[in-house]
Amino acid sequence: MKRFTFGRYLPMNSFMHNLDPRAKLIAVLLLVVAVFIPSSFIPYILLAVLAGCAIYLSGLDLRFILRTLRPILYLSLFLLLVNILSLKRGSVIFSFKGFEIYSEALVFTFKITIRLLLMLVYTTCLTATTKPLELTLAIEFILSPLSLIKFPTQEVAMMISIALRFIPTLSLEAERIVNAQKSRGVDFEEGHMSERVSAMLSLVVPLFTIAFERAYELADAMEARGYIPGERRTCARELKFKNKDYSLLAISLSVLVLFIFLKLNNHF
Amino acid sequence: MSQLGNCKSLFNIYNTNMDFISVRDLNFRYEEKQILLSDISFDIKKGAYVAIVGKNGSGKSTLAKLLIGLETADSGTIEIDGVVLNDENIKHIRSRMGIVFQNPDNQFIGATVRDDIAFGLENRCCSKSDMALLIEQFSNKVGLEKLLDKEPEALSGGQKQRVAIAGVLAMQSDIIILDEATSMLDPRGRDTIKKLIRELHQDKELTIISITHDIEEAYTADDCIVLCDGKVFDHGKPEEVFKDAKRIRSVGLDVPFIGKVKEAFKNHGIVLDGNSEDEIIGELCEYTLKR
Amino acid sequence: MRIHFEKISYIYDRNLPFAHTALSDIELDIREGKITAIIGETGSGKSTLVQHLNALLIPSSGQIELGDHLIKANEKNKNLKKLRKEVGLVFQFPEYQLFESTILDDVAFGPIRFGISKEESYERARSALSNVGISPILYDRNPMELSGGQKRRVAIAGILALDPKILVLDEPAAGLDPEGAKRLVDLIVSLNREFNKTIILVSHDNDMVYSYTDDTVFMRDGRVIYHGPTLDLFNDGELIKKNHLLLPTVVNFKNRLREAGFEVDENARTIEQIAEAVSRRISR
């Protein structure tokens, strides 16, 4: 039985899927910072165009994107309401029997919304086109300078990758435990407080027990195969930057630098 | 295999010491599982296929852990190819030995088959090119060359155990310890692994220590060690060890199928000596001809 | 308690692109009071089928009659919980379901969930534990302190305490040593012979299936290829060859003796019976 994969990785073969995960992660980080710089409207058009390109190059369905963005729209509607009632700056746009809506409320909400939307599009393009393990390698790469201050980046990366590898296994086990307990009369859906608590315990306790046993056995296996935390080890996975990766990095970096420059010169 | 740089085994493999693995007066108390190993002594010759049998709780798996240094004995020695195991040289000794555990999931570390085979090599700081070569060679050896990019969820138990074996082989180990490596597999998986191990034993002259419940498998080994309550109860050729049904049953084990057949015929006054189904059928035919 | 599958199909992930038909058109009538084995390769649909027996899964089409219960596809099925008291399902490696702080508490857990009084639940727990051969000294112990084989028996006691009419076990002997496996199988057989429970065993161990079961359901690709007496299945050379079934060791030996010219009765099931038949021939 196929299990759905962690996050929202969609196994396809788009342009973005074939980019180096480190380049993608760095680009997303740069762009997310860039999103928060401009105050005026026009730079956002550039960012939106970039977002559109990202979606296209990721092979993502527009419907999928809209579904992902929906929660933001609900949030912004709520935000609009709050701002209409609280922000009373700028010019009056609408007036009804003494109740006034100010332009600032709308502009402010709009700004926040657009920023959230852009952020979400960029990160979605990242997670949809990058396998969880690749993402871990990218994170490890970015955190690697921290090892200079004795931060155990390699060990943290190892922990994350093992955790990722076991998510499907544990979820299958959880399902098995739920079935076994249901067969003993446990009701996971109905019942009053004490019953619900005991139902949860009947799932959580075995799951933890299995997880700990597993951890012990895994540790033995790792030790037997020569793993010593803190000691140097090589990496079999080839991660090589190609020209297209450099182009992506160049584009995101130049956008960020451009925005910073323009901001500093009060052009926004 | 030519230049493998620092991947090469750190030992001189061409040691003429016949008693390749020597265990003397091993004592170990394993509190958590209330197991006490006492006065364990035995020798294993280079290239032998040794089965260690005993019922659950007899200390088999504990012995395996001691051999590979995952636990340290309270007293006694373990000598591998003339070198006595201790805390300082365990790392080097592990380069000679590999272990495959019982639970296929709990030893699968990598995200894919390729990553898992690479794990041990990465720990040894193997270069990328060497690793690629070794992974290709040994995934081929165990028949998994087409599954290198598969994740563990997509693999059967038998396939995962093959990955574990490939990982051990890639480390150029010449001693493989199988700790009930087939007991969680279905019959087909079990058969595949048993066949693979036998093949490897023949081609590569590996020394194999198989801790097992499978009496049929133990019967095909070169040598058999029977453990009972943490002590060595018997040690010899399988035909000898399993000859006396009463004796072997007294320690919670049983005779192989052949043994049961011989027993049943004995009850009807027909004595058989054969050690395989073929031999027994042959003897029965002779009996009929005699009449 | 009648078990009748009528035109049962089951499709996983029906509405998704990777929908998978696990069961197609199953018609099955399992004999009451007998031990029935369900065999087949991994992926043949055994586990899916078995999860219908206590309504963990509801069929995508068709209906299942389980005693007084009628489970229909696409219908809101009520009283499923009651069904689970009558059909006890023991999963593979059931020791993993233990979670209470003492063995007695864990075994009593099931009956309590079904609304049985605390007093009676603990009575049943004691009785079930005694049936599986766990001594009262261990009742207050934490399940984690027991050996694998003991934990397994405790888990089974947890289902027995519900006093189901039908007991379904998925690979009950998986991972046990031969002694433990034998003890467990003897227990299962006694539950059938002494308490007249209908037993359904999912197993890969054709040796065990051959020696202990009355009927066998052989599944392949979600369909029932054979359902009938176990003996007949393993004596049917055609079927075995066609489906690449692993022959039980005893049957294989029997066949080889036959090939060598010895007449051995088709119904000879144990080594003892075979030895007797052959010895008699030799002595003539």
Side-chain angles (χ1 to χ4, degrees), chain C residues 70-111:
Chain C
L70 193 62
I71 312 276
K72 285 197 189 154
N74 304 321
E75 257 187 38
K76 207 68 192 349
N77 291 286
K78 302 216 165 100
N79 275 326
L80 293 179
K81 207 170 155 182
K82 182 163 179 282
L83 176 61
R84 291 185 191 148
K85 206 182 0 166
E86 296 168 38
V87 181
L89 186 42
V90 179
F91 283 85
Q92 204 174 20
F93 301 110
E95 51 271 20
Y96 287 126
Q97 82 201 26
L98 303 175
F99 76 102
E100 286 279 10
S101 29
T102 72
I103 293 175
L104 198 61
D105 285 334
D106 202 283
V107 178
F109 178 75

mmCIF file of all heavy atoms in Angstrom, chain C residues 70-111:
data_model
loop_
_atom_site.group_PDB
_atom_site.id
_atom_site.type_symbol
_atom_site.label_atom_id
_atom_site.label_comp_id
_atom_site.label_asym_id
_atom_site.label_seq_id
_atom_site.Cartn_x
_atom_site.Cartn_y
_atom_site.Cartn_z
ATOM 1 N N LEU C 70 -24.999 -8.177 9.606
ATOM 2 C CA LEU C 70 -24.941 -8.118 8.149
ATOM 3 C C LEU C 70 -24.191 -6.845 7.784
ATOM 4 O O LEU C 70 -24.662 -5.749 8.058
ATOM 5 C CB LEU C 70 -26.360 -8.090 7.572
ATOM 6 C CG LEU C 70 -26.466 -8.338 6.074
ATOM 7 C CD1 LEU C 70 -25.948 -9.729 5.744
ATOM 8 C CD2 LEU C 70 -27.923 -8.224 5.633
ATOM 9 N N ILE C 71 -23.018 -7.000 7.209
ATOM 10 C CA ILE C 71 -22.232 -5.816 6.849
ATOM 11 C C ILE C 71 -22.409 -5.576 5.356
ATOM 12 O O ILE C 71 -22.068 -6.436 4.541
ATOM 13 C CB ILE C 71 -20.729 -6.041 7.119
ATOM 14 C CG1 ILE C 71 -20.514 -6.617 8.510
ATOM 15 C CG2 ILE C 71 -19.957 -4.772 6.910
ATOM 16 C CD1 ILE C 71 -20.471 -5.645 9.611
ATOM 17 N N LYS C 72 -22.951 -4.411 5.035
ATOM 18 C CA LYS C 72 -23.180 -4.134 3.611
ATOM 19 C C LYS C 72 -22.279 -3.006 3.149
ATOM 20 O O LYS C 72 -21.982 -2.079 3.906
ATOM 21 C CB LYS C 72 -24.630 -3.711 3.405
ATOM 22 C CG LYS C 72 -25.610 -4.827 3.485
ATOM 23 C CD LYS C 72 -26.946 -4.403 2.873
ATOM 24 C CE LYS C 72 -28.011 -5.453 3.159
ATOM 25 N NZ LYS C 72 -29.340 -4.879 3.170
ATOM 26 N N ALA C 73 -21.945 -3.050 1.893
ATOM 27 C CA ALA C 73 -21.136 -1.975 1.328
ATOM 28 C C ALA C 73 -21.980 -0.712 1.243
ATOM 29 O O ALA C 73 -23.181 -0.785 1.096
ATOM 30 C CB ALA C 73 -20.666 -2.375 -0.062
ATOM 31 N N ASN C 74 -21.317 0.407 1.333
ATOM 32 C CA ASN C 74 -21.988 1.701 1.144
ATOM 33 C C ASN C 74 -23.155 1.953 2.076
ATOM 34 O O ASN C 74 -24.039 2.728 1.763
ATOM 35 C CB ASN C 74 -22.514 1.843 -0.297
ATOM 36 C CG ASN C 74 -21.380 1.664 -1.282
ATOM 37 O OD1 ASN C 74 -20.274 2.115 -1.052
ATOM 38 N ND2 ASN C 74 -21.663 0.983 -2.368
ATOM 39 N N GLU C 75 -23.184 1.258 3.214
ATOM 40 C CA GLU C 75 -24.265 1.518 4.145
ATOM 41 C C GLU C 75 -23.687 1.879 5.482
ATOM 42 O O GLU C 75 -22.615 1.414 5.846
ATOM 43 C CB GLU C 75 -25.112 0.263 4.313
ATOM 44 C CG GLU C 75 -26.413 0.327 3.551
ATOM 45 C CD GLU C 75 -27.294 -0.851 3.889
ATOM 46 O OE1 GLU C 75 -27.327 -1.268 5.056
ATOM 47 O OE2 GLU C 75 -27.926 -1.356 2.963
ATOM 48 N N LYS C 76 -24.431 2.664 6.227
ATOM 49 C CA LYS C 76 -23.993 2.999 7.572
ATOM 50 C C LYS C 76 -24.187 1.746 8.423
ATOM 51 O O LYS C 76 -25.298 1.350 8.698
ATOM 52 C CB LYS C 76 -24.882 4.137 8.062
ATOM 53 C CG LYS C 76 -24.340 5.095 9.096
ATOM 54 C CD LYS C 76 -23.394 5.984 9.010
ATOM 55 C CE LYS C 76 -22.533 6.879 9.656
ATOM 56 N NZ LYS C 76 -22.520 7.298 10.911
ATOM 57 N N ASN C 77 -23.083 1.108 8.780
ATOM 58 C CA ASN C 77 -23.199 -0.109 9.565
ATOM 59 C C ASN C 77 -23.121 0.204 11.039
ATOM 60 O O ASN C 77 -22.194 0.858 11.497
ATOM 61 C CB ASN C 77 -22.081 -1.073 9.180
ATOM 62 C CG ASN C 77 -22.274 -1.613 7.772
ATOM 63 O OD1 ASN C 77 -23.137 -2.452 7.528
ATOM 64 N ND2 ASN C 77 -21.498 -1.122 6.834
ATOM 65 N N LYS C 78 -24.124 -0.275 11.775
ATOM 66 C CA LYS C 78 -24.136 0.020 13.210
ATOM 67 C C LYS C 78 -23.707 -1.205 13.994
ATOM 68 O O LYS C 78 -23.577 -2.297 13.465
ATOM 69 C CB LYS C 78 -25.559 0.410 13.626
ATOM 70 C CG LYS C 78 -26.072 1.590 12.845
ATOM 71 C CD LYS C 78 -26.937 2.503 13.688
ATOM 72 C CE LYS C 78 -27.098 3.820 12.975
ATOM 73 N NZ LYS C 78 -28.357 3.940 12.278
ATOM 74 N N ASN C 79 -23.490 -0.961 15.296
ATOM 75 C CA ASN C 79 -23.159 -2.088 16.177
ATOM 76 C C ASN C 79 -21.923 -2.851 15.795
ATOM 77 O O ASN C 79 -21.824 -4.038 16.061
ATOM 78 C CB ASN C 79 -24.325 -3.088 16.229
ATOM 79 C CG ASN C 79 -25.322 -2.653 17.256
ATOM 80 O OD1 ASN C 79 -24.936 -2.094 18.274
ATOM 81 N ND2 ASN C 79 -26.578 -2.885 16.987
ATOM 82 N N LEU C 80 -20.998 -2.160 15.159
ATOM 83 C CA LEU C 80 -19.760 -2.834 14.777
ATOM 84 C C LEU C 80 -18.996 -3.263 16.000
ATOM 85 O O LEU C 80 -18.325 -4.282 16.016
ATOM 86 C CB LEU C 80 -18.901 -1.897 13.932
ATOM 87 C CG LEU C 80 -19.493 -1.570 12.569
ATOM 88 C CD1 LEU C 80 -18.569 -0.621 11.827
ATOM 89 C CD2 LEU C 80 -19.682 -2.837 11.762
ATOM 90 N N LYS C 81 -19.135 -2.457 17.054
ATOM 91 C CA LYS C 81 -18.381 -2.758 18.263
ATOM 92 C C LYS C 81 -18.791 -4.116 18.807
ATOM 93 O O LYS C 81 -17.948 -4.894 19.240
ATOM 94 C CB LYS C 81 -18.622 -1.655 19.293
ATOM 95 C CG LYS C 81 -17.470 -1.503 20.243
ATOM 96 C CD LYS C 81 -17.621 -0.252 21.093
ATOM 97 C CE LYS C 81 -16.857 -0.436 22.403
ATOM 98 N NZ LYS C 81 -16.973 0.679 23.314
ATOM 99 N N LYS C 82 -20.076 -4.404 18.749
ATOM 100 C CA LYS C 82 -20.562 -5.675 19.277
ATOM 101 C C LYS C 82 -19.945 -6.823 18.495
ATOM 102 O O LYS C 82 -19.573 -7.856 19.041
ATOM 103 C CB LYS C 82 -22.093 -5.711 19.156
ATOM 104 C CG LYS C 82 -22.710 -6.971 19.715
ATOM 105 C CD LYS C 82 -24.219 -6.777 19.963
ATOM 106 C CE LYS C 82 -24.856 -8.047 20.498
ATOM 107 N NZ LYS C 82 -25.085 -9.035 19.434
ATOM 108 N N LEU C 83 -19.798 -6.620 17.203
ATOM 109 C CA LEU C 83 -19.196 -7.643 16.360
ATOM 110 C C LEU C 83 -17.789 -7.980 16.821
ATOM 111 O O LEU C 83 -17.376 -9.134 16.814
ATOM 112 C CB LEU C 83 -19.169 -7.148 14.905
ATOM 113 C CG LEU C 83 -18.482 -8.052 13.872
ATOM 114 C CD1 LEU C 83 -19.202 -9.395 13.802
ATOM 115 C CD2 LEU C 83 -18.501 -7.388 12.505
ATOM 116 N N ARG C 84 -17.062 -6.950 17.249
ATOM 117 C CA ARG C 84 -15.674 -7.165 17.633
ATOM 118 C C ARG C 84 -15.521 -7.963 18.908
ATOM 119 O O ARG C 84 -14.443 -8.430 19.235
ATOM 120 C CB ARG C 84 -14.960 -5.817 17.778
ATOM 121 C CG ARG C 84 -14.814 -5.197 16.418
ATOM 122 C CD ARG C 84 -14.049 -3.938 16.364
ATOM 123 N NE ARG C 84 -14.235 -3.371 15.034
ATOM 124 C CZ ARG C 84 -14.254 -2.092 14.763
ATOM 125 N NH1 ARG C 84 -14.092 -1.214 15.739
ATOM 126 N NH2 ARG C 84 -14.430 -1.680 13.526
ATOM 127 N N LYS C 85 -16.624 -8.136 19.609
ATOM 128 C CA LYS C 85 -16.567 -8.976 20.793
ATOM 129 C C LYS C 85 -16.718 -10.432 20.360
ATOM 130 O O LYS C 85 -16.233 -11.340 21.005
ATOM 131 C CB LYS C 85 -17.723 -8.599 21.733
ATOM 132 C CG LYS C 85 -17.414 -8.909 23.168
ATOM 133 C CD LYS C 85 -18.467 -8.634 24.187
ATOM 134 C CE LYS C 85 -19.777 -8.067 23.796
ATOM 135 N NZ LYS C 85 -20.749 -8.217 24.918
ATOM 136 N N GLU C 86 -17.439 -10.633 19.264
ATOM 137 C CA GLU C 86 -17.708 -11.989 18.823
ATOM 138 C C GLU C 86 -16.657 -12.528 17.881
ATOM 139 O O GLU C 86 -16.463 -13.737 17.772
ATOM 140 C CB GLU C 86 -19.084 -12.041 18.154
ATOM 141 C CG GLU C 86 -20.184 -11.703 19.143
ATOM 142 C CD GLU C 86 -21.511 -11.474 18.441
ATOM 143 O OE1 GLU C 86 -21.781 -12.199 17.477
ATOM 144 O OE2 GLU C 86 -22.250 -10.569 18.857
ATOM 145 N N VAL C 87 -15.996 -11.632 17.167
ATOM 146 C CA VAL C 87 -14.906 -12.059 16.302
ATOM 147 C C VAL C 87 -13.639 -11.404 16.841
ATOM 148 O O VAL C 87 -13.457 -10.198 16.710
ATOM 149 C CB VAL C 87 -15.137 -11.615 14.839
ATOM 150 C CG1 VAL C 87 -13.996 -12.090 13.961
ATOM 151 C CG2 VAL C 87 -16.450 -12.149 14.327
ATOM 152 N N GLY C 88 -12.796 -12.204 17.459
ATOM 153 C CA GLY C 88 -11.567 -11.652 18.039
ATOM 154 C C GLY C 88 -10.442 -11.714 17.024
ATOM 155 O O GLY C 88 -10.157 -12.778 16.471
ATOM 156 N N LEU C 89 -9.827 -10.588 16.783
ATOM 157 C CA LEU C 89 -8.758 -10.532 15.785
ATOM 158 C C LEU C 89 -7.423 -10.275 16.456
ATOM 159 O O LEU C 89 -7.250 -9.301 17.170
ATOM 160 C CB LEU C 89 -9.100 -9.411 14.799
ATOM 161 C CG LEU C 89 -8.244 -9.180 13.557
ATOM 162 C CD1 LEU C 89 -7.863 -10.465 12.891
ATOM 163 C CD2 LEU C 89 -8.996 -8.320 12.560
ATOM 164 N N VAL C 90 -6.487 -11.207 16.260
ATOM 165 C CA VAL C 90 -5.152 -11.058 16.841
ATOM 166 C C VAL C 90 -4.174 -10.761 15.705
ATOM 167 O O VAL C 90 -3.966 -11.592 14.837
ATOM 168 C CB VAL C 90 -4.724 -12.356 17.567
ATOM 169 C CG1 VAL C 90 -3.328 -12.198 18.142
ATOM 170 C CG2 VAL C 90 -5.716 -12.695 18.663
ATOM 171 N N PHE C 91 -3.585 -9.598 15.736
ATOM 172 C CA PHE C 91 -2.680 -9.209 14.670
ATOM 173 C C PHE C 91 -1.300 -9.837 14.824
ATOM 174 O O PHE C 91 -0.974 -10.406 15.850
ATOM 175 C CB PHE C 91 -2.521 -7.683 14.645
ATOM 176 C CG PHE C 91 -3.687 -6.987 14.027
ATOM 177 C CD1 PHE C 91 -4.805 -6.674 14.786
ATOM 178 C CD2 PHE C 91 -3.696 -6.676 12.685
ATOM 179 C CE1 PHE C 91 -5.902 -6.058 14.220
ATOM 180 C CE2 PHE C 91 -4.783 -6.049 12.100
ATOM 181 C CZ PHE C 91 -5.892 -5.743 12.873
ATOM 182 N N GLN C 92 -0.476 -9.672 13.812
ATOM 183 C CA GLN C 92 0.886 -10.179 13.861
ATOM 184 C C GLN C 92 1.669 -9.388 14.912
ATOM 185 O O GLN C 92 1.491 -8.190 15.037
ATOM 186 C CB GLN C 92 1.529 -9.979 12.491
ATOM 187 C CG GLN C 92 2.649 -10.940 12.241
ATOM 188 C CD GLN C 92 3.180 -10.818 10.827
ATOM 189 O OE1 GLN C 92 2.981 -9.816 10.163
ATOM 190 N NE2 GLN C 92 3.868 -11.829 10.379
ATOM 191 N N PHE C 93 2.525 -10.088 15.638
ATOM 192 C CA PHE C 93 3.285 -9.463 16.727
ATOM 193 C C PHE C 93 2.357 -8.709 17.695
ATOM 194 O O PHE C 93 2.562 -7.528 17.960
ATOM 195 C CB PHE C 93 4.366 -8.519 16.189
ATOM 196 C CG PHE C 93 5.355 -9.210 15.301
ATOM 197 C CD1 PHE C 93 5.387 -8.952 13.943
ATOM 198 C CD2 PHE C 93 6.220 -10.155 15.817
ATOM 199 C CE1 PHE C 93 6.272 -9.619 13.103
ATOM 200 C CE2 PHE C 93 7.121 -10.828 14.986
ATOM 201 C CZ PHE C 93 7.141 -10.552 13.625
ATOM 202 N N PRO C 94 1.353 -9.403 18.211
ATOM 203 C CA PRO C 94 0.356 -8.735 19.045
ATOM 204 C C PRO C 94 0.937 -8.189 20.343
ATOM 205 O O PRO C 94 0.316 -7.341 20.972
ATOM 206 C CB PRO C 94 -0.653 -9.850 19.346
ATOM 207 C CG PRO C 94 0.115 -11.110 19.214
ATOM 208 C CD PRO C 94 1.138 -10.870 18.156
ATOM 209 N N GLU C 95 2.123 -8.666 20.709
ATOM 210 C CA GLU C 95 2.702 -8.172 21.969
ATOM 211 C C GLU C 95 2.891 -6.660 21.949
ATOM 212 O O GLU C 95 2.983 -6.026 22.993
ATOM 213 C CB GLU C 95 4.026 -8.871 22.281
ATOM 214 C CG GLU C 95 5.024 -8.879 21.154
ATOM 215 C CD GLU C 95 4.871 -10.078 20.222
ATOM 216 O OE1 GLU C 95 3.788 -10.696 20.203
ATOM 217 O OE2 GLU C 95 5.834 -10.376 19.497
ATOM 218 N N TYR C 96 2.911 -6.081 20.752
ATOM 219 C CA TYR C 96 3.070 -4.638 20.662
ATOM 220 C C TYR C 96 1.839 -3.862 21.102
ATOM 221 O O TYR C 96 1.890 -2.663 21.274
ATOM 222 C CB TYR C 96 3.465 -4.226 19.238
ATOM 223 C CG TYR C 96 4.897 -4.601 18.935
ATOM 224 C CD1 TYR C 96 5.224 -5.352 17.823
ATOM 225 C CD2 TYR C 96 5.919 -4.220 19.797
ATOM 226 C CE1 TYR C 96 6.537 -5.704 17.562
ATOM 227 C CE2 TYR C 96 7.231 -4.581 19.548
ATOM 228 C CZ TYR C 96 7.539 -5.322 18.431
ATOM 229 O OH TYR C 96 8.831 -5.675 18.180
ATOM 230 N N GLN C 97 0.721 -4.534 21.283
ATOM 231 C CA GLN C 97 -0.466 -3.796 21.690
ATOM 232 C C GLN C 97 -0.556 -3.657 23.212
ATOM 233 O O GLN C 97 -1.420 -2.946 23.716
ATOM 234 C CB GLN C 97 -1.739 -4.467 21.164
ATOM 235 C CG GLN C 97 -2.204 -5.623 22.003
ATOM 236 C CD GLN C 97 -3.110 -6.597 21.277
ATOM 237 O OE1 GLN C 97 -3.088 -6.743 20.066
ATOM 238 N NE2 GLN C 97 -3.926 -7.301 22.033
ATOM 239 N N LEU C 98 0.351 -4.336 23.949
ATOM 240 C CA LEU C 98 0.299 -4.260 25.405
ATOM 241 C C LEU C 98 0.715 -2.876 25.866
ATOM 242 O O LEU C 98 1.710 -2.340 25.415
ATOM 243 C CB LEU C 98 1.246 -5.305 26.013
ATOM 244 C CG LEU C 98 1.004 -6.751 25.602
ATOM 245 C CD1 LEU C 98 2.080 -7.650 26.165
ATOM 246 C CD2 LEU C 98 -0.353 -7.212 26.101
ATOM 247 N N PHE C 99 -0.060 -2.289 26.754
ATOM 248 C CA PHE C 99 0.330 -0.951 27.197
ATOM 249 C C PHE C 99 0.002 -0.643 28.648
ATOM 250 O O PHE C 99 0.475 0.332 29.199
ATOM 251 C CB PHE C 99 -0.335 0.095 26.287
ATOM 252 C CG PHE C 99 -1.794 0.278 26.591
ATOM 253 C CD1 PHE C 99 -2.232 1.362 27.326
ATOM 254 C CD2 PHE C 99 -2.723 -0.650 26.151
ATOM 255 C CE1 PHE C 99 -3.580 1.515 27.625
ATOM 256 C CE2 PHE C 99 -4.060 -0.497 26.438
ATOM 257 C CZ PHE C 99 -4.489 0.589 27.168
ATOM 258 N N GLU C 100 -0.829 -1.473 29.271
ATOM 259 C CA GLU C 100 -1.178 -1.183 30.663
ATOM 260 C C GLU C 100 0.001 -1.478 31.578
ATOM 261 O O GLU C 100 0.965 -2.104 31.175
ATOM 262 C CB GLU C 100 -2.389 -2.036 31.071
ATOM 263 C CG GLU C 100 -3.702 -1.560 30.486
ATOM 264 C CD GLU C 100 -4.307 -0.397 31.253
ATOM 265 O OE1 GLU C 100 -3.620 0.167 32.126
ATOM 266 O OE2 GLU C 100 -5.452 -0.037 30.975
ATOM 267 N N SER C 101 -0.105 -1.033 32.811
ATOM 268 C CA SER C 101 1.046 -1.203 33.703
ATOM 269 C C SER C 101 1.200 -2.612 34.260
ATOM 270 O O SER C 101 2.290 -2.999 34.649
ATOM 271 C CB SER C 101 1.018 -0.169 34.822
ATOM 272 O OG SER C 101 -0.311 0.194 35.099
ATOM 273 N N THR C 102 0.108 -3.367 34.290
ATOM 274 C CA THR C 102 0.260 -4.766 34.695
ATOM 275 C C THR C 102 -0.427 -5.662 33.683
ATOM 276 O O THR C 102 -1.316 -5.237 32.958
ATOM 277 C CB THR C 102 -0.344 -5.079 36.079
ATOM 278 O OG1 THR C 102 -1.774 -5.047 35.966
ATOM 279 C CG2 THR C 102 0.126 -4.122 37.134
ATOM 280 N N ILE C 103 -0.001 -6.932 33.698
ATOM 281 C CA ILE C 103 -0.568 -7.889 32.747
ATOM 282 C C ILE C 103 -2.063 -8.055 32.949
ATOM 283 O O ILE C 103 -2.843 -8.061 31.998
ATOM 284 C CB ILE C 103 0.120 -9.251 32.925
ATOM 285 C CG1 ILE C 103 1.567 -9.115 32.490
ATOM 286 C CG2 ILE C 103 -0.571 -10.323 32.135
ATOM 287 C CD1 ILE C 103 2.354 -10.356 32.744
ATOM 288 N N LEU C 104 -2.444 -8.178 34.193
ATOM 289 C CA LEU C 104 -3.865 -8.391 34.484
ATOM 290 C C LEU C 104 -4.696 -7.210 33.982
ATOM 291 O O LEU C 104 -5.748 -7.386 33.374
ATOM 292 C CB LEU C 104 -4.065 -8.583 35.993
ATOM 293 C CG LEU C 104 -5.387 -9.221 36.398
ATOM 294 C CD1 LEU C 104 -5.511 -10.615 35.811
ATOM 295 C CD2 LEU C 104 -5.500 -9.280 37.913
ATOM 296 N N ASP C 105 -4.195 -6.009 34.214
ATOM 297 C CA ASP C 105 -4.912 -4.822 33.749
ATOM 298 C C ASP C 105 -5.062 -4.838 32.239
ATOM 299 O O ASP C 105 -6.105 -4.503 31.697
ATOM 300 C CB ASP C 105 -4.143 -3.540 34.126
ATOM 301 C CG ASP C 105 -4.275 -3.222 35.601
ATOM 302 O OD1 ASP C 105 -5.279 -3.642 36.204
ATOM 303 O OD2 ASP C 105 -3.377 -2.555 36.144
ATOM 304 N N ASP C 106 -3.995 -5.244 31.564
ATOM 305 C CA ASP C 106 -4.041 -5.222 30.101
ATOM 306 C C ASP C 106 -5.058 -6.223 29.572
ATOM 307 O O ASP C 106 -5.834 -5.920 28.668
ATOM 308 C CB ASP C 106 -2.655 -5.524 29.511
ATOM 309 C CG ASP C 106 -2.531 -5.011 28.102
ATOM 310 O OD1 ASP C 106 -3.086 -5.672 27.186
ATOM 311 O OD2 ASP C 106 -1.936 -3.939 27.900
ATOM 312 N N VAL C 107 -5.068 -7.408 30.135
ATOM 313 C CA VAL C 107 -6.007 -8.416 29.647
ATOM 314 C C VAL C 107 -7.454 -8.024 29.976
ATOM 315 O O VAL C 107 -8.368 -8.272 29.196
ATOM 316 C CB VAL C 107 -5.678 -9.813 30.232
ATOM 317 C CG1 VAL C 107 -6.673 -10.851 29.757
ATOM 318 C CG2 VAL C 107 -4.281 -10.227 29.824
ATOM 319 N N ALA C 108 -7.641 -7.370 31.102
ATOM 320 C CA ALA C 108 -8.995 -6.952 31.484
ATOM 321 C C ALA C 108 -9.462 -5.727 30.701
ATOM 322 O O ALA C 108 -10.653 -5.420 30.642
ATOM 323 C CB ALA C 108 -9.027 -6.639 32.976
ATOM 324 N N PHE C 109 -8.524 -5.042 30.106
ATOM 325 C CA PHE C 109 -8.817 -3.815 29.360
ATOM 326 C C PHE C 109 -9.911 -4.018 28.306
ATOM 327 O O PHE C 109 -10.858 -3.226 28.204
ATOM 328 C CB PHE C 109 -7.525 -3.320 28.713
ATOM 329 C CG PHE C 109 -7.687 -2.095 27.867
ATOM 330 C CD1 PHE C 109 -7.852 -0.852 28.461
ATOM 331 C CD2 PHE C 109 -7.658 -2.167 26.483
ATOM 332 C CE1 PHE C 109 -7.992 0.286 27.684
ATOM 333 C CE2 PHE C 109 -7.789 -1.025 25.698
ATOM 334 C CZ PHE C 109 -7.958 0.198 26.301
ATOM 335 N N GLY C 110 -9.765 -5.084 27.513
ATOM 336 C CA GLY C 110 -10.714 -5.346 26.441
ATOM 337 C C GLY C 110 -12.145 -5.492 26.938
ATOM 338 O O GLY C 110 -13.043 -4.742 26.532
ATOM 339 N N PRO C 111 -12.386 -6.459 27.855
ATOM 340 C CA PRO C 111 -13.760 -6.641 28.362
ATOM 341 C C PRO C 111 -14.345 -5.345 28.948
ATOM 342 O O PRO C 111 -15.508 -5.027 28.714
ATOM 343 C CB PRO C 111 -13.596 -7.705 29.447
ATOM 344 C CG PRO C 111 -12.376 -8.452 29.054
ATOM 345 C CD PRO C 111 -11.491 -7.483 28.345
#
